[in-house]
């Protein structure tokens, strides 16, 4: 079971913020070997969805994404920095994360579409949530991506 926390940056505890940044570093920088400025200034105005699991009495981050307001990155609102931590992969946490992220984003910005820059190999996964591909594939940090819109 995942406990969801949807917060503004300023409302994240120092522990929660540390865990988010550590897991983003582990997945994006170390695992995917993408050298880019993950801390990009957009976190300050974003809403952050954290999915926590407790296993054997230990609470740990299982999944995370951030929601940016319409106009912050794209004309539409956007969901990005999507991660499922290695320990939570294969548990359904990623599917639960996207479902909850869409629900929270649409409640926060009703009537707006959602744009994502998705890794191309996940096209069918995001398509199952109603996202449609709206760009040709492009290379971003050595990984093929596509823009998708819902």
């Amino acid at each position: 079971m995942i406990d969801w926390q949807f917060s503004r940056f300023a409302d994240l505890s120092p522990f929660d913020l540390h865990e988010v940044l550590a897991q983003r570093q582990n997945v994006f920088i170390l695992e995917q070997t993408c050298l880019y400025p993950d801390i990009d200034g957009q976190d300050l105005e974003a809403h952050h969805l954290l999915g926590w699991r407790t296993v054997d009495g230990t609470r740990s981050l299982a999944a995370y994404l951030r929601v940016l307001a319409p106009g912050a990155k794209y004309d539409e609102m956007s969901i990005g920095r999507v991660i499922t931590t290695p320990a939570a992969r294969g548990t359904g946490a990623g599917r639960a994360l996207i479902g909850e992220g869409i629900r929270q984003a649409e409640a926060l910005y009703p009537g707006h579409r959602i744009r994502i820059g998705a890794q191309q190999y996940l096209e069918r996964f995001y398509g199952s949530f109603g996202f449609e591909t709206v760009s040709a594939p492009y290379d971003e940090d050595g990984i093929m991506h596509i823009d998708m819109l819902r």
Side-chain angles (χ1 to χ4, degrees):
M1 180 168 135
I2 296 180
D3 294 318
W4 298 110
Q5 172 188 349
F6 192 58
S7 303
R8 299 286 309 212
F9 183 85
D11 297 327
L12 292 172
S13 73
F15 171 83
D16 294 348
L17 178 58
H18 177 272
E19 187 65 12
V20 163
L21 295 176
Q23 291 301 331
R24 282 177 21 183
Q25 174 181 276
N26 286 339
V27 171
F28 298 129
I29 310 293
L30 300 175
E31 183 181 313
Q32 296 179 357
T33 60
C34 294
L35 298 177
Y36 73 102
D38 177 52
I39 300 173
D40 60 2
Q42 292 184 321
D43 287 320
L44 298 171
E45 298 302 320
H47 283 78
H48 303 267
L49 179 61
L50 292 72
W52 298 97
R53 287 190 328 158
T54 301
V55 178
D56 297 328
T58 302
R59 179 179 178 252
S60 61
L61 188 67
Y64 166 85
L65 60 74
R66 72 179 182 188
V67 176
L68 298 176
K73 182 172 183 176
Y74 305 113
D75 290 339
E76 305 84 5
M77 68 173 140
S78 66
I79 291 176
R81 296 297 198 266
V82 177
I83 62 169
T84 302
T85 60
R89 291 181 189 151
T91 67
R95 184 161 287 283
L97 173 70
I98 297 303
E100 182 67 13
I102 290 169
R103 189 181 76 72
Q104 294 284 357
E106 289 178 342
L108 190 60
Y109 302 111
H112 290 273
R113 298 186 78 186
I114 303 171
R115 182 177 292 264
I116 60 173
Q119 293 183 6
Q120 187 178 18
Y121 84 95
L122 293 169
E123 184 174 16
R124 287 183 59 200
F125 173 76
Y126 287 113
S128 73
F129 290 95
F131 285 93
E132 296 180 354
T133 302
V134 295
S135 77
Y138 58 92
D139 183 300
E140 183 174 309
D141 301 312
I143 299 172
M144 294 309 292
H145 281 71
I146 50 174
D147 287 345
M148 300 184 81
L149 197 57
R150 173 190 156 94

